[in-house]
Amino acid sequence: MGSASDLRFLARSVVKPKPGSREFEKLLLTGFDFRSLKQSIFHKRVLLFDTSKEEDGFDFELCSKKLKETLAITLDKCYPFAGRLVQEEDGTLVFLSNDAGVEFIDAASPVSISELLGNDSFQFEERLCPDIPFELEQLAKGGGGSSAAAAVPILAAQMTRFDQGGFAIGVTFHHGASDGTSVFQFLKVWAEISRGDEVSSPLDFSSRAQLLNLTPHTTDSQLSTTSEIPKMFTTAPLFGAPEVELPQQSEAAMKILFISLDIEAVNKLKLKVQEDQKEGVASFSSYVIITALMWRASIRARQLQEDEETRCFNAVNCRGRCKRLPENHFGNAAFTAIAAAPAGHLLENGISFAAKLIAKSIKSVSGEYLQSMSNLMEQVKLQKSVLLADFRPPHDVLVVGSSHNPSAECDFGWGQPLALKSTFMEAPLSALIWCPRHRVTGTLELIYKATPAVADAMLIDPELTTFAKVESSEVV
């Protein structure tokens, strides 16, 4: 559902903050940002709002006007989002706080908002977020940042009104500027300003300097040997090389699996994990045990040899794990925790075995470890290179996203959103995406991208379907 003809673009404008001096006119990219910049991925978030209870009808024009006005105020407080990513004359990549503004699109659609609550709307949801044209190489060609073509926007927004009632707010963020946590922190600030409330937790831009000061910045700093790169990681030039961490495989046919577990199913799975443990009873989070369940199911579907290594890559939010990374840190602050095992061991030892591996890998991302890896990323960055997890589908699984549902924090003055959706089409094959928990029922929802053969095998996987409801898209 939802073809190109189902969306009408009504107007385009540029929202800018009030002119003024900025505390940080330039923000240098950290090693965390470099990793995300290499992937050339955009965060897209869609918030769906129901207006059916408005007795006197809903004024979409007034809604659009209010969103633009409050976005301008938000950008005044979060000014880097109104800037541009540029390469300076000396080759340094920076976020330039030049108040160039954020594109805001007004659109309309005949699609019913109820149609967007199902699983078959995922391709149309992508169009509810504006595109930010970007190729990594354009930065390499734009030294000095004077060329408009070489200055990359960080944020774009779109309001789509539905002819049958309701509207959507869609935002697109450049992943080189922020991770998913920063995206929601920005939305929270915008929503508070839109409601007329005080900003409870402004974004912290100064903490970026703390990361950059971990390592002395000397231009002749070089890694002496490749042995300094930890196992399961690799390096790649920022410009001119394939995107080795996240192979998109855009030409490959794939299916999308939609996995859901209600509260009863999660409790049933936790009980099973407790029964499986041979020594002691460890307590695992829902995230760990469900990820373990999915890892095992995907490996069974791929029919790996018993001695073939499989790895589960988990994106870990590092805020709070390191003193230099406060909870409201602006930018990228996710690092990769890697669990590994021979396929035979993973499948022979039960869900609890996989859960222990995942929990141990996440626990290893300590403050001390992060400081060490931050140092390494800054050294690699000086060579215009990036430190990447050596992700290799189909043997590996990449886990991203979060079950946290910030709907209560995203009330822009018209009530909490009916649903909050994270688009995922840019994620690679073998990616497991955690979606926000259902706001009313508490059901946990995940998305898995796989080849048709793997998806079909997982649809009938006995262990997975014992605990989870699994549905599939058509081949896309």
Side-chain angles (χ1 to χ4, degrees), residues 47-195:
L47 294 86
L48 300 175
F49 293 88
D50 183 16
T51 59
S52 61
K53 295 182 181 179
E54 297 286 335
E55 296 181 0
D56 299 327
F58 190 78
D59 191 330
F60 290 107
E61 296 295 336
L62 186 62
C63 174
S64 173
K65 182 173 182 289
K66 180 179 179 181
L67 286 174
K68 292 172 191 173
E69 289 174 348
T70 55
L71 177 58
I73 299 171
T74 305
L75 292 174
D76 194 44
K77 296 180 179 295
C78 305
Y79 54 87
F81 285 104
R84 295 294 183 265
L85 173 60
V86 302
Q87 181 172 215
E88 298 191 301
E89 293 180 358
D90 63 358
T92 303
L93 291 171
V94 300
F95 299 120
L96 187 63
S97 301
N98 59 0
D99 296 340
V102 169
E103 183 179 44
F104 191 101
I105 298 174
D106 285 280
S109 172
V111 172
S112 166
I113 195 169
S114 61
E115 295 179 71
L116 299 175
L117 300 179
N119 289 332
D120 59 350
S121 63
F122 62 92
Q123 289 177 299
F124 182 68
E125 289 165 10
E126 296 272 344
R127 305 199 68 239
L128 297 177
C129 298
D131 289 328
I132 298 179
F134 172 71
E135 291 183 7
L136 188 58
E137 297 306 315
Q138 76 187 70
L139 285 174
K141 300 173 183 177
S146 57
S147 168
V152 180
I154 296 170
L155 166 67
Q158 178 174 316
M159 174 193 164
T160 304
R161 61 193 72 178
F162 301 111
D163 296 345
Q164 300 179 48
F167 68 96
I169 298 175
V171 292
T172 302
F173 287 78
H174 196 298
H175 199 348
S178 66
D179 56 18
T181 301
S182 277
V183 170
F184 283 126
Q185 288 172 334
F186 178 89
L187 289 173
K188 178 183 176 182
V189 172
W190 186 7
E192 287 175 331
I193 291 173
S194 184
R195 294 195 306 267

Side-chain angles (χ1 to χ4, degrees), residues 372-407:
S372 173
M373 296 305 289
S374 296
N375 284 334
L376 180 57
M377 285 190 289
E378 290 302 314
Q379 292 178 50
V380 171
K381 189 183 76 174
L382 290 174
Q383 302 173 54
K384 278 290 177 24
S385 292
V386 292
L387 180 72
L388 300 172
D390 190 19
F391 174 62
R392 297 179 182 179
H395 293 73
D396 301 336
V397 173
L398 175 69
V399 189
V400 296
S402 168
S403 64
H404 172 60
N405 190 330
S407 294

Side-chain angles (χ1 to χ4, degrees), residues 425-442:
M425 291 302 290
E426 288 186 327
L429 286 173
S430 300
L432 177 64
I433 301 103
W434 278 79
C435 303
R437 182 191 294 267
H438 193 282
R439 178 168 65 90
V440 177
T441 66

Side-chain angles (χ1 to χ4, degrees), residues 184-245:
F184 283 126
Q185 288 172 334
F186 178 89
L187 289 173
K188 178 183 176 182
V189 172
W190 186 7
E192 287 175 331
I193 291 173
S194 184
R195 294 195 306 267
D197 295 343
E198 293 292 325
V199 175
S200 59
S201 180
L203 285 163
D204 186 343
F205 302 109
S206 63
S207 56
R208 301 174 62 82
Q210 306 261 359
L211 287 175
L212 293 165
N213 288 334
L214 285 171
T215 303
H217 281 243
T218 56
T219 56
D220 60 352
S221 175
Q222 297 289 322
L223 294 174
S224 57
T225 65
T226 56
S227 64
E228 296 184 50
I229 305 300
K231 184 183 178 183
M232 301 186 192
F233 287 86
T234 187
T235 59
L238 178 62
F239 299 122
E243 295 174 3
V244 296
E245 183 182 22

Side-chain angles (χ1 to χ4, degrees), residues 172-453:
T172 302
F173 287 78
H174 196 298
H175 199 348
S178 66
D179 56 18
T181 301
S182 277
V183 170
F184 283 126
Q185 288 172 334
F186 178 89
L187 289 173
K188 178 183 176 182
V189 172
W190 186 7
E192 287 175 331
I193 291 173
S194 184
R195 294 195 306 267
D197 295 343
E198 293 292 325
V199 175
S200 59
S201 180
L203 285 163
D204 186 343
F205 302 109
S206 63
S207 56
R208 301 174 62 82
Q210 306 261 359
L211 287 175
L212 293 165
N213 288 334
L214 285 171
T215 303
H217 281 243
T218 56
T219 56
D220 60 352
S221 175
Q222 297 289 322
L223 294 174
S224 57
T225 65
T226 56
S227 64
E228 296 184 50
I229 305 300
K231 184 183 178 183
M232 301 186 192
F233 287 86
T234 187
T235 59
L238 178 62
F239 299 122
E243 295 174 3
V244 296
E245 183 182 22
L246 294 178
Q248 297 297 303
Q249 303 180 8
S250 57
E251 300 302 320
M254 66 179 175
K255 283 188 174 181
I256 311 298
L257 290 182
F258 301 94
I259 302 99
S260 61
L261 295 90
D262 60 21
I263 295 175
E264 182 180 351
V266 173
N267 290 335
K268 180 181 176 182
L269 178 58
K270 286 184 176 180
L271 182 61
K272 171 63 175 174
V273 170
Q274 289 179 359
E275 293 173 350
D276 282 349
Q277 295 184 62
K278 299 175 182 178
E279 297 179 2
V281 179
S283 178
F284 301 113
S285 68
S286 298
Y287 172 91
V288 167
I289 62 171
I290 294 172
T291 299
L293 176 72
M294 289 298 301
W295 186 17
R296 284 166 52 84
S298 68
I299 297 309
R300 268 193 300 271
R302 293 192 180 94
Q303 299 182 335
L304 297 185
Q305 297 297 314
E306 289 187 0
D307 60 347
E308 289 186 273
E309 185 179 58
T310 174
R311 301 172 297 181
C312 184
F313 292 73
N314 289 269
V316 178
N317 180 12
C318 301
R319 294 169 178 83
R321 290 174 176 261
C322 178
K323 293 181 179 179
R324 300 173 188 270
L325 287 171
E327 295 292 344
N328 58 344
H329 167 80
F330 161 71
N332 288 283
F335 201 71
T336 310
I338 307 172
H345 287 183
L346 185 74
L347 300 180
E348 290 169 2
N349 289 285
I351 302 173
S352 63
F353 175 75
K356 287 178 182 177
L357 293 176
I358 294 169
K360 182 179 179 180
S361 70
I362 293 174
K363 186 178 180 180
S364 70
V365 184
S366 62
E368 182 179 354
Y369 175 78
L370 285 171
Q371 180 163 327
S372 173
M373 296 305 289
S374 296
N375 284 334
L376 180 57
M377 285 190 289
E378 290 302 314
Q379 292 178 50
V380 171
K381 189 183 76 174
L382 290 174
Q383 302 173 54
K384 278 290 177 24
S385 292
V386 292
L387 180 72
L388 300 172
D390 190 19
F391 174 62
R392 297 179 182 179
H395 293 73
D396 301 336
V397 173
L398 175 69
V399 189
V400 296
S402 168
S403 64
H404 172 60
N405 190 330
S407 294
E409 302 167 355
C410 292
D411 178 356
F412 283 74
W414 301 283
Q416 293 184 28
L418 190 64
L420 190 156
K421 299 207 171 188
S422 303
T423 65
F424 55 86
M425 291 302 290
E426 288 186 327
L429 286 173
S430 300
L432 177 64
I433 301 103
W434 278 79
C435 303
R437 182 191 294 267
H438 193 282
R439 178 168 65 90
V440 177
T441 66
T443 296
L444 292 170
E445 300 174 340
L446 302 90
I447 291 166
Y448 187 69
K449 298 180 71 173
T451 62

